[in-house]
């Protein structure tokens, strides 16, 4: 394994611009009639069988007609632009239970679902369950309506299925980590090497059961010709609350602000209108994600509601040691016994826990 600090621009399909992608539909995979029929049929069997979501596997529910769909999602995540949007599922006709079953089945064929919270839930929700804002330190980003900063999640893959959209706003936004790095390199080559150094990230405030206050990880990794990004400046700044963490230097603060500024640079992000039935598959190491702020419908049953999966996907991607993996390992249900209250049957799991994140 060859680890380098590369100071030349990174090329390849992961170095995309949102304004260029927005002019095409190459990043959208429309399911065929045969694929949709199989997903609906196998999904109904999944609902009837009612397996434990923590132990069921893809081998239990083959998707032969969907081989092309699964292979394209995998290819785009592993060696393509880093994401794909799957469109054409009729979730408004299915009801949430069947929609969630289809989503979970696809996930089983693309990785291993991970625990996402202290309850051990392997299927979680992005839905506003209170009127808190991100200014409130007790607010969960997935449970508020604010615009989110670009960041990486604590998994190899993050996937979202749209059950219901917002009254206004709520676009899903993605940006290429490779393109951000290239732009930093162009503007400030003196700051770019800092991205490959270890940074302290808050752990305890993200997860009260964490074994320590912080973990360390670089923001960028370049190993054997593969470039990866792991980002979320708010967690780095939060780590400064712990006295044992070294103070950030002026140069470090400058590069963090520059990273966030470039992520929002007009033309770089791709804002996609999430429609009911859309499923987004994203490799956290290739692209960062956020969303625009939104306004909900007044009726609770019409609120913007996404289902979320975190997946382990081990395809041998070369990464520097400790590249965000501390969080991934800590989130594993087998390493951190969940607290009571988790929902592990599909009909229960698709119902948001309105007591969580208040």
């Amino acid at each position: 394994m060859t680890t380098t600090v590369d100071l030349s621009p990174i090329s390849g399909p992961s170095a995309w611009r949102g304004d260029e992608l927005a002019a095409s539909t190459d990043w959208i995979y429309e399911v065929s009639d045969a694929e949709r029929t199989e997903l609906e049929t196998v999904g109904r069997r999944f609902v009837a069988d009612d397996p434990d979501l923590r132990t069921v596997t893809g081998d239990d529910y083959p998707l032969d007609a969907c081989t092309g769909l699964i292979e394209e999602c995998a290819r785009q995540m592993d060696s393509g632009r880093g994401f794909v949007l799957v469109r054409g599922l009729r979730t408004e006709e299915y009801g949430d239970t069947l929609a969630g079953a289809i989503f979970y089945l696809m996930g089983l064929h693309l990785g291993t679902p991970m625990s996402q919270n202290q309850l051990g839930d392997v299927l979680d929700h992005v839905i506003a369950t209170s009127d808190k804002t991100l200014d409130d330190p007790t607010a969960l980003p997935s449970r508020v309506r604010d615009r989110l900063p670009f960041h990486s999640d604590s998994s190899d893959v993050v996937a979202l299925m749209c059950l219901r959209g917002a009254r206004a706003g709520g676009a899903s936004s993605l940006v290429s980590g490779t393109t951000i790095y290239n732009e930093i390199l162009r503007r400030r080559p003196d700051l770019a090497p800092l991205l490959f150094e270890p940074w302290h990230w808050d752990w305890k405030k993200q997860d009260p059961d964490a074994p320590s206050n912080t973990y360390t990880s670089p923001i960028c990794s370049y190993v054997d010709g593969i470039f990866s990004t792991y980002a979320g400046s708010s967690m780095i700044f939060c780590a400064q609350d712990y006295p044992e963490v070294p103070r950030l230097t002026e140069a470090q603060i400058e590069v963090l602000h520059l990273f966030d500024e470039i992520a929002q640079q007009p033309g770089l992000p791709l804002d996609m209108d999430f429609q009911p039935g859309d499923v987004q598959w994203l490799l956290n190491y290739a692209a960062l994600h956020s969303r625009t702020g939104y306004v909900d419908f007044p009726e609770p049953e019409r609120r913007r509601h996404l289902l979320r999966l975190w997946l382990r996907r081990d395809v041998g991607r070369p990464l520097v040691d400790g590249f965000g993996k501390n969080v991934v390992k800590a989130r594993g249900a087998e390493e951190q016994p969940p607290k009571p209250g988790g929902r592990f049957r599909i009909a229960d799991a698709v119902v948001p826990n309105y007591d969580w994140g208040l």
Side-chain angles (χ1 to χ4, degrees):
M1 181 179 290
T2 303
T3 302
T4 59
V5 175
D6 191 271
L7 292 180
S8 60
I10 308 294
S11 60
S14 69
W16 49 264
R17 291 178 55 96
D19 53 5
E20 295 173 354
L21 289 184
S24 76
T25 57
D26 292 345
W27 47 277
I28 299 175
Y29 185 103
E30 293 276 358
V31 297
S32 68
D33 290 343
E35 290 167 339
R36 184 188 305 107
T37 297
E38 180 177 67
L39 287 169
E40 293 170 354
T41 300
V42 180
R44 291 188 179 94
R45 181 161 68 87
F46 189 96
V47 172
D49 292 348
D50 197 25
D52 189 318
L53 299 179
R54 296 166 295 183
T55 56
V56 66
T57 69
D59 290 341
D60 298 327
Y61 295 90
L63 294 174
D64 298 331
C66 290
T67 299
L69 165 62
I70 300 302
E71 288 180 348
E72 177 63 8
C73 291
R75 185 179 71 84
Q76 288 299 341
M77 287 194 293
D78 298 341
S79 58
R81 67 183 69 90
F83 76 95
V84 63
L85 184 74
V86 177
R87 178 163 286 172
L89 296 174
R90 301 176 292 202
T91 54
E92 293 172 301
E93 299 177 14
Y94 304 155
D96 291 355
T97 300
L98 178 55
I102 290 171
F103 180 45
Y104 204 80
L105 279 168
M106 295 172 67
L108 291 175
H109 286 271
L110 286 165
T112 303
M114 296 169 54
S115 168
Q116 298 187 54
N117 56 38
Q118 292 166 284
L119 306 180
D121 292 321
V122 288
L123 185 65
D124 208 352
H125 303 261
V126 180
I127 184 172
T129 52
S130 75
D131 290 325
K132 288 182 179 180
T133 68
L134 284 180
D135 294 334
D136 186 332
T138 66
L140 284 178
S142 62
R143 299 301 175 97
V144 299
R145 300 179 181 88
D146 292 3
R147 179 196 165 277
L148 298 182
F150 280 102
H151 62 283
S152 307
D153 276 3
S154 305
S155 57
D156 296 323
V157 171
V158 58
L160 297 170
M161 169 182 265
C162 180
L163 296 178
R164 284 168 284 284
R167 181 177 182 178
S172 177
S173 299
L174 304 181
V175 67
S176 162
T178 308
T179 301
I180 294 173
Y181 170 74
N182 286 342
E183 184 65 10
I184 291 175
L185 188 62
R186 185 184 72 81
R187 293 193 197 181
R188 293 295 303 274
D190 57 315
L191 295 179
L194 296 176
L195 300 172
F196 297 89
E197 297 179 357
W199 296 72
H200 286 267
W201 305 67
D202 174 74
W203 200 350
K204 184 68 71 174
K205 287 191 286 292
Q206 308 297 321
D207 184 350
D209 296 325
S212 62
N213 288 334
T214 64
Y215 62 95
T216 59
S217 172
I219 295 172
C220 293
S221 166
Y222 193 69
V223 181
D224 295 345
I226 303 297
F227 182 82
S228 302
T229 314
Y230 179 77
S233 61
S234 62
M235 290 187 288
I236 293 175
F237 285 119
C238 279
Q240 294 290 290
D241 292 342
Y242 305 111
E244 70 273 17
V245 173
R247 299 301 90 184
L248 292 170
T249 66
E250 289 186 9
Q252 288 176 317
I253 294 171
E254 191 172 5
V255 76
L256 289 177
H257 287 317
L258 181 59
F259 191 104
D260 290 343
E261 174 191 334
I262 290 172
Q264 295 292 337
Q265 180 179 309
L268 263 61
L270 173 68
D271 291 341
M272 57 181 72
D273 177 25
F274 238 11
Q275 303 174 13
D278 284 355
V279 180
Q280 180 190 98
W281 300 97
L282 171 71
L283 185 75
N284 274 304
Y285 308 122
L288 316 179
H289 63 285
S290 74
R291 67 152 185 271
T292 62
Y294 66 94
V295 177
D296 258 332
F297 287 97
E299 303 90 346
E301 68 274 10
R302 297 179 69 192
R303 289 179 183 171
R304 181 181 189 268
H305 187 184
L306 312 181
L307 298 178
R308 185 179 71 185
L309 280 174
W310 280 355
L311 302 179
R312 288 190 182 90
R313 179 169 174 78
D314 184 7
V315 293
R317 186 183 185 88
L319 298 166
V320 295
D321 291 341
F323 193 69
K325 292 298 183 181
N326 307 68
V327 177
V328 173
K329 291 178 181 177
R331 287 293 187 185
E334 71 280 6
E335 298 180 32
Q336 194 175 62
K339 296 180 179 181
R343 301 176 180 189
F344 308 116
R345 304 290 176 175
I346 192 63
D348 296 327
V350 297
V351 179
N353 185 338
Y354 288 99
D355 295 328
W356 178 252
L358 295 182

